[in-house]
Amino acid sequence: GNSVTQMEGPVTLSEEAFLTINCTYTATGYPSLFWYVQYPGEGLQLLLKATKADDKGSNKGFEATYRKETTSFHLEKGSVQVSDSAVYFCALGRGGNEKLTFGTGTRLTIIP
Amino acid sequence: GAVVSQHPSRVICKSGTSVKIECRSLDFQATTMFWYRQFPKQSLMLMATSNEGSKATYEQGVEKDKFLINHASLTLSTLTVTSAHPEDSSFYICSARSARRSLAGATYSYNEQFFGPGTRLTVL
């Protein structure tokens, strides 16, 4: 079946540091890949997505590249801000309804 | 735009009682709603998919008689946990998907799910 494995947290970084949160997946075929972010007290929000191999999703300075050869979709940001503190979920979607399979989430805390 | 609310945000109940959780799409019509369950430090697990006006489709291992889902309108789905027990204590999250690409003046990806903030259920 489908599964998503992401870096365990919590992750604590200083402001302006470089961020990488690893995500690997297991799935047949060509799933869509997503990163969701959950800010305190809010619902999950779509951060970025990629629908085919070698696609790069990007938003708010975050990037992730769909790597089929390594079955990975690592999230990166060159310079994090305190406002990036949140829980980040990697997910894959299949089928017309895009049923989502989530990773366990990684809590990120950025300190000034 | 594209806001999903859940009510209540937190509920504590006695074992054996039933609890209803509401999920509403506030500014768009949701043709499909999804219900997830999240245990501490674990993934969101899809419980069921519901389409407006039809019966929900449950994931393998989810008891349909235990977790009753009703999607009677395009803006409201409810999850009722019947005869709740302590092992049902969890964080329940809904999401809603619209078939339309343009919502509230913005353009979204088709099939994008919009998530509610979740409901924390504690069964004593």
Side-chain angles (χ1 to χ4, degrees), chain B residues 40-58:
Chain B
K41 298 184 180 180
Q42 294 189 27
S43 304
L44 280 74
M45 302 297 296
L46 180 65
M47 299 174 66
T49 303
S50 72
N51 293 297
E52 184 266 338
S54 61
K55 289 184 178 180
T57 302
Y58 290 80

Side-chain angles (χ1 to χ4, degrees), chain A residues 60-79:
Chain A
K60 299 181 180 180
F62 290 90
E63 292 183 341
T65 301
Y66 189 141
R67 301 284 188 202
K68 186 160 177 63
E69 64 275 14
T70 54
T71 61
S72 65
F73 194 55
H74 304 321
L75 182 68
E76 296 182 336
K77 185 172 185 180
S79 176

Side-chain angles (χ1 to χ4, degrees), chain B residues 30-91:
Chain B
T31 49
T32 305
M33 286 185 169
F34 302 84
W35 286 96
Y36 296 85
R37 181 173 180 179
Q38 184 180 27
F39 292 101
K41 298 184 180 180
Q42 294 189 27
S43 304
L44 280 74
M45 302 297 296
L46 180 65
M47 299 174 66
T49 303
S50 72
N51 293 297
E52 184 266 338
S54 61
K55 289 184 178 180
T57 302
Y58 290 80
E59 295 299 300
Q60 191 172 9
V62 178
E63 299 176 59
K64 60 180 68 176
D65 294 330
K66 173 77 171 176
F67 299 99
L68 301 179
I69 292 172
N70 183 285
H71 191 168
S73 79
L74 285 171
T75 59
L76 173 65
S77 176
T78 60
L79 167 67
T80 301
V81 183
T82 62
S83 186
H85 291 282
E87 58 266 28
D88 299 323
S89 298
S90 191
F91 194 56

Side-chain angles (χ1 to χ4, degrees), chain A residues 76-99:
Chain A
E76 296 182 336
K77 185 172 185 180
S79 176
V80 293
Q81 305 300 314
V82 173
S83 57
D84 294 327
S85 298
V87 181
Y88 292 82
F89 292 90
C90 185
L92 69 82
R94 295 298 305 275
N97 271 334
E98 289 284 18
K99 292 169 64 171

